[in-house]
Amino acid sequence: IFNYKKWHFGYRYYTGEFENKKIFIKASNKSSIIKHEYEINEYINSSSSYLKEKKPNILMYKKIGNNALIVEEFLNAKRIKDIKLNNIDNKEKIYDQFINITKELQRIGLYHLDINDDNIYLDINNDVIITDFGYSLIEGNTNMSFINSKKLCKKIYNAINPSTRLDAGYIDDA
């Protein structure tokens, strides 16, 4: 196993090989978010065959004491922010894929909440891949106990529930 990145927003990243496959490991003492990301992965896999192909495949979740990790198949892709889109053929295909991913997330009632240029990739076929579902929420589920920030919980809840905005305090289930 090789250290890929040092601590980044409370996570440590590694790459390695397991059963002759290149893997990516995300580890943290934020075990509730790691577990939540694994559970969201399972939800996507059971809800959308299209989205299942548009995200990295998580192979394993493991909790060790106060720490947790997920093991994913290695994503052979580049972050969209690291690519000069002017040099890419068929930009319309990339745009259409992103719109289709967004529509499918909406169809299955999943709020990603962290879509940004760090979490959008293009694979070797210029297919769009979305990563980092750790802060995602399923429609109707306001339990954000996996997030250890009162302020962030309130901000997320208000963003997805504008008709019932919270003025103060935790969300009931958090």
Side-chain angles (χ1 to χ4, degrees), residues 15-102:
T15 59
E17 198 171 293
F18 179 72
E19 296 179 351
N20 296 322
K21 288 184 183 179
K22 195 165 183 183
I23 58 169
F24 175 78
I25 300 169
K26 182 178 183 179
S28 179
N29 59 358
K30 299 178 180 183
S31 60
S32 58
I33 293 176
I34 297 283
K35 181 180 180 192
H36 181 74
E37 186 166 353
Y38 176 76
E39 291 167 347
I40 292 294
N41 178 73
E42 295 298 299
Y43 175 77
I44 292 169
N45 289 346
S46 66
S47 301
S48 173
S49 57
Y50 177 72
L51 288 176
K52 186 176 180 178
E53 301 300 318
K54 295 295 183 180
K55 63 166 189 57
N57 183 29
I58 294 180
L59 304 170
M60 178 193 322
Y61 160 78
K62 184 84 173 163
K63 186 167 190 304
I64 306 160
N66 291 329
N67 300 302
L69 60 86
I70 51 176
V71 178
E72 300 177 352
E73 289 180 352
F74 186 81
L75 182 60
N76 190 10
K78 291 185 178 180
R79 287 184 307 187
I80 202 153
K81 77 178 193 178
D82 298 331
I83 297 170
K84 293 181 180 170
L85 292 177
N86 293 337
N87 299 339
I88 301 257
D89 294 330
N90 204 355
K91 289 182 216 49
E92 295 80 20
K93 172 188 166 193
I94 295 167
Y95 176 77
D96 288 344
Q97 284 184 37
F98 183 75
I99 295 301
N100 290 336
I101 289 168
T102 304

Side-chain angles (χ1 to χ4, degrees), residues 143-155:
N143 182 355
M144 290 183 262
S145 59
F146 61 93
I147 301 173
N148 294 327
S149 166
K150 185 176 179 179
K151 185 177 178 181
L152 182 58
C153 284
K154 182 177 149 186
K155 184 177 181 182

